[in-house]
Structure formats: structure tokens, C-alpha cells
């Protein structure tokens, strides 16, 4: 069998081309981002700035990739944190971390001479969960700080700040976060369909030597319900199988074994979480 042409590149940034499938989500996101880019027109028409975009969907579907691509698309600096990083035992620490995150975004934009910054918060539900029954006082302060930061964003600011957040439990979010002028643009990032899976497999096969007998369409068919992260793992495991066998190319059977391995891995993860 003949080796497929492989191309390797190590980009320092990520673009929408690096994200497989998700055509609808990508288009919705780009459309929203155009508001950030066309800020002069936005000002002229007196439209209030877009402050927050919420990405929601199951784990591993590419929400973080989307946020990074958004930063490249808008020529913004990218700063990020995960909701769980704001959870601390001591009162006030979470809130001050939120403040630092935004300060960092502004400082970096200035240093890198960019006029916008994207602040990405993964697992927003950890800090932005519904406030009920007086528990979680510490989370309250953190969430309040986040709301304060959002409310403090104005059209005339330099750098312009856009907040993006990801969650797989949108229904858990406090309604204060979802009000107009906060996270009022929601984009769902779902599990890929077959075409999407094939696209993702192709992206992750780019730097791998595949045998010509490999039929990625068949692999896409057999990986029903896989997330992007699982497809990445599938390609990687297949390469590991091939390497262990001391062969030059990844064959179809390596991919079949890898599919089973990823499915089994998920199962045993779930069992051990019981
Ligand atoms: P989580 O909710 O678990 O944080 P996520 O939706 O943010 O997940 P990412 O972190 O963006 O998922 O994806 C994890 C990895 O999975 C990526 O680094 C990439 O290798 C792969 N991946 C996920 N989705 C895609 C996709 N649509 N195209 C290409 N690769 C993907």
C-alpha cells in the first residue's frame, strides 16, 4: 500500500478550518462575531454591544476550539479559565480571580496591540449555577463579580471585551447570567453527524500515515455518537496499535480496534464513577 501524503504544521493559533463538522454552530458564531468586528457600524446604529456568547453542548464537541478560533477570527487576544478554578475555600478569592482574568485580558491586548480580547470561561455552570436557598455564599461573590465585569463593558472601551462561556448544563445556569446584555446569544455545539465525524477524522488523520485500504467513511459510520474528542482519541489509539505492531502504516483493522477501545474506555470510566 502507498502512503498518503501527510502534511504537518504546528499552528500557534487555531482557525475555524481546524474544527470538523459543526457547520451551523460555526456560521452562527461567525455571524455573532461580525458584530465585534464591525463595531463602527454598530455604534452608528446605536446597537448595544454583544457581550456574551454561550456555547452549550456535550463534552468534547469542540467548544474550546470554537472560542480559540473566534479569537483568531476577530484578531483578539485569548484568555481563558475554567469555572472550577474560581472555586476556593476562602471567601473573596474566586471573585478576585475573576477580576484578575479581565485585567489580564486588558493588559495583554494592550501589550500585543490588539483592540479586542476574548475572555473564555469553560464550565461556567460551576460558578454560574442557580442561586438558591442561601447555600454557596462564596460562589455568589464570584458570580456577582462576573456580572459586574459584564455590566462594565461598553461599546467605546478599548480593548473591546467579549466573553465566551461553555457549559453542558445550560438549564443549571442562574437566570441573571442569561439576561439581555449578558449571555444573550446561545449557540449549541452538538455531537457531530456522520459527515461531521468524517470531517473530524480527516482533520486528525492529517499527520498520520494511513494505508490506502482505510475507509474513513466507514469509520465515521461505525463511530456513531462519538464526540470530536473521542474521534481524536480513536485516531490516536489506531496509531498506537500500528506502532506496537511495528508496521509502517495505519490499517483499517487498527481503526476498528481503536473504536472498540474508545467505547470500552468510556464504559469503564462510567463503571468506576459509580
Ligand atoms: P469540554 O466540554 O469537555 O471542555 P469541549 O467541547 O470544550 O469539551 P474541546 O476541548 O474543544 O471540547 O475538544 C477537545 C479535543 O477534542 C480537541 O482538542 C480536539 O482534539 C478534539 N475535538 C473536539 N471537537 C472537535 C472538532 N469539531 N473538530 C476537530 N477536533 C475536535
Amino acid at each position: 500500500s502507498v502512503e498518503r501524503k501527510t502534511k504537518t504544521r504546528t499552528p500557534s493559533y487555531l482557525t475555524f478550518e481546524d474544527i470538523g463538522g459543526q457547520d451551523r454552530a460555526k456560521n452562527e458564531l461567525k455571524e455573532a462575531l461580525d458584530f465585534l468586528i464591525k463595531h463602527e457600524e454598530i455604534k452608528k446604529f446605536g446597537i448595544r454591544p454583544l457581550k456574551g456568547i454561550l456555547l452549550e453542548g456535550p463534552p468534547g464537541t469542540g467548544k474550546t476550539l470554537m472560542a480559540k478560533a473566534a479569537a483568531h477570527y476577530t484578531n483578539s487576544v485569548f484568555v481563558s479559565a475554567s469555572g472550577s478554578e474560581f472555586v476556593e475555600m476562602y471567601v473573596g478569592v474566586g471573585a478576585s480571580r475573576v477580576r484578575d482574568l479581565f485585567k489580564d485580558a486588558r493588559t495583554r491586548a494592550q501589550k500585543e496591540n490588539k483592540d479586542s480580547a476574548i475572555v473564555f470561561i469553560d464550565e461556567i455552570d460551576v460558578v454560574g449555577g442557580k442561586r438558591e436557598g442561601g447555600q454557596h455564599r462564596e460562589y455568589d461573590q464570584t458570580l456577582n463579580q462576573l456580572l459586574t465585569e459584564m455590566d462594565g463593558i461598553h461599546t467605546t472601551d478599548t480593548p473591546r471585551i467579549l466573553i465566551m462561556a461553555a457549559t453542558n448544563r445550560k438549564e443549571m445556569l442562574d437566570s441573571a447570567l442569561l439576561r439581555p446584555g449578558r449571555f444573550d446569544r446561545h449557540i449549541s455545539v452538538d455531537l457531530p453527524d456522520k459527515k461531521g465525524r468524517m470531517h473530524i477524522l480527516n482533520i486528525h488523520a492529517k499527520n498520520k500515515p494511513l494505508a490506502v485500504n482505510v475507509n474513513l467513511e466507514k469509520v465515521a459510520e461505525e463511530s456513531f455518537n462519538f464526540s470530536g474528542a473521542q474521534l481524536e482519541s480513536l485516531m490516536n489509539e489506531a496509531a498506537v496499535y500500528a506502532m506496537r505492531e511495528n508496521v509502517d502504516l495505519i490499517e483499517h483493522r487498527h481503526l476498528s480496534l481503536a473504536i472498540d477501545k474508545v467505547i470500552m474506555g468510556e464504559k469503564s470510566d462510567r463503571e468506576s464513577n459509580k
Side-chain angles (χ1 to χ4, degrees):
S1 38
V2 184
E3 191 176 328
R4 279 197 190 159
K5 262 220 159 75
T6 55
K7 216 171 35 186
T8 37
R9 71 185 180 115
T10 40
S12 55
Y13 55 82
L14 202 122
T15 75
F16 284 115
E17 249 94 88
D18 300 309
I19 304 173
Q22 306 297 358
D23 292 344
R24 185 196 36 77
K26 281 197 260 186
N27 285 335
E28 279 178 31
L29 180 54
K30 281 187 207 164
E31 212 170 89
L33 293 171
D34 288 337
F35 270 81
L36 193 73
I37 297 167
K38 296 180 190 150
H39 64 109
E40 289 305 329
E41 284 108 302
I42 299 293
K43 247 191 277 183
K44 190 174 107 190
F45 283 98
I47 298 169
R48 65 175 147 71
L50 172 65
K51 294 183 181 179
I53 299 178
L54 183 71
L55 305 174
E56 51 131 354
T61 45
K63 297 182 287 300
T64 306
L65 301 181
M66 293 269 192
K68 286 186 179 162
H72 178 71
Y73 184 79
T74 55
N75 192 25
S76 305
V77 293
F78 179 77
V79 298
S80 70
S82 172
S84 50
E85 289 168 44
F86 299 124
V87 178
E88 282 288 336
M89 213 149 62
Y90 298 103
V91 172
V93 175
S96 86
R97 287 213 179 128
V98 170
R99 220 174 297 126
D100 289 346
L101 183 68
F102 282 84
K103 219 196 275 169
D104 186 33
R106 293 190 169 93
T107 321
R108 277 197 36 210
Q110 206 167 31
K111 244 194 226 151
E112 294 173 34
N113 228 343
K114 304 231 165 147
D115 51 17
S116 53
I118 289 183
V119 175
F120 175 62
I121 304 173
D122 201 1
E123 298 183 84
I124 182 89
D125 42 281
V126 176
V127 280
K130 287 196 173 101
R131 294 178 282 193
E132 291 170 305
Q135 301 157 317
H136 305 311
R137 306 313 305 175
E138 159 57 4
Y139 291 18
D140 272 21
Q141 282 204 11
T142 310
L143 176 55
N144 283 337
Q145 186 59 40
L146 182 61
L147 298 175
T148 306
E149 295 288 350
M150 290 195 99
D151 294 345
I153 296 172
H154 301 291
T155 327
T156 48
D157 287 351
T158 35
R160 294 188 306 286
I161 304 268
L162 175 69
I163 311 177
M164 291 183 70
T167 181
N168 30 53
R169 299 182 300 173
K170 183 172 123 178
E171 68 291 344
M172 298 282 294
L173 292 181
D174 197 286
S175 59
L177 271 175
L178 305 176
R179 245 172 248 155
R182 293 187 181 153
F183 289 102
D184 51 10
R185 191 69 65 101
H186 302 176
I187 296 173
S188 68
V189 187
D190 299 316
L191 288 174
D193 58 8
K194 187 184 145 195
K195 195 171 141 239
R197 291 197 297 277
M198 202 154 123
H199 189 185
I200 297 171
L201 285 167
N202 268 304
I203 288 175
H204 291 288
K206 262 188 197 142
N207 62 349
K208 295 186 170 59
L210 294 191
V212 279
N213 78 346
V214 167
N215 179 349
L216 285 185
E217 185 171 357
K218 194 146 169 265
V219 179
E221 228 165 75
E222 289 166 359
S223 50
F224 179 71
N225 258 341
F226 274 36
S227 67
Q230 287 173 312
L231 293 165
E232 190 274 338
S233 169
L234 187 173
M235 286 306 303
N236 195 60
E237 291 296 339
V240 171
Y241 280 122
M243 199 187 85
R244 278 206 200 121
E245 277 183 20
N246 257 325
V247 292
D248 288 336
L249 302 172
I250 300 169
E251 310 266 347
H252 197 86
R253 64 196 155 87
H254 299 129
L255 288 150
S256 297
L257 284 171
I259 292 177
D260 293 342
K261 167 129 198 221
V262 173
I263 294 173
M264 291 310 290
E266 293 292 312
K267 263 205 197 123
S268 66
D269 276 356
R270 242 176 299 152
E271 311 275 275
S272 60
N273 277 340
K274 267 183 192 161

